[in-house]
Amino acid sequence: MSWSTPTADRLEVQAAVTTTALPGALHFLESLPRDRWAVVTSGVTVLAQARLRAAGLPTPPVLITADEVSHGKPAPDGYRMAAEKLGFAPAGTVVFEDSTAGAKAGAAAGATVIGVGQRGLATDATIVVRDLRGLTWHDGVLSLAAADLLRC
């Protein structure tokens, strides 16, 4: 069941201008190879694009939204579709999530899930980072060595 309506979607898109990026997000995304990351969201496409634009973040090479999946989070459909479009098995991917439903979806897809922020502590993620500062990607390896870990 979807709670989304055209009016609710329009209001969310209008409010999207207040969206800010998570600390470290832009730097981390810029360190990733362009063809190696995706955004999976429960929002509709126009809302996801508005939030990314407002936050000053690049458009991902793969964007999976509520418009594209039959079953949203906590179902694994979105993460499985993103992995497939990127050319990876879900087990070879990492999901950064701040919601319980999203973390469950990532785990059900077979991905490694890293919780983000205080909300990430409410998930079953083994590792939770405060934000994306200190995360690095180099030669195909994700390092959390300099990250502010809330749970490890």
Side-chain angles (χ1 to χ4, degrees), residues 107-136:
T112 298
V113 178
I114 297 177
V116 180
Q118 291 297 316
R119 290 181 50 189
L121 290 170
T123 71
D124 291 334
T126 305
I127 298 171
V128 178
V129 295
R130 182 171 310 283
D131 52 39
L132 301 182
R133 289 178 288 194
L135 276 67
T136 58

Side-chain angles (χ1 to χ4, degrees), residues 40 64 73 75-84 90 93 95-97 101-103 105-107 109 111:
V40 177
I64 306 298
K73 300 172 185 179
D77 303 25
Y79 287 118
R80 287 182 178 155
M81 183 183 290
E84 181 180 327
T93 65
V95 167
F96 291 90
E97 259 297 345

Side-chain angles (χ1 to χ4, degrees), residues 22-79:
L22 195 62
L26 181 59
H27 183 264
F28 180 60
L29 291 175
E30 288 176 339
S31 77
L32 297 173
R34 179 78 183 132
D35 62 346
R36 298 285 175 108
W37 65 279
V39 170
V40 177
T41 178
S42 297
V44 296
T45 302
V46 67
L47 176 60
Q49 292 169 334
R51 287 180 175 165
L52 287 165
R53 200 170 29 256
L57 297 174
T59 301
V62 173
L63 176 62
I64 306 298
T65 69
D67 300 321
E68 300 175 67
V69 294
S70 298
H71 302 96
K73 300 172 185 179
D77 303 25
Y79 287 118

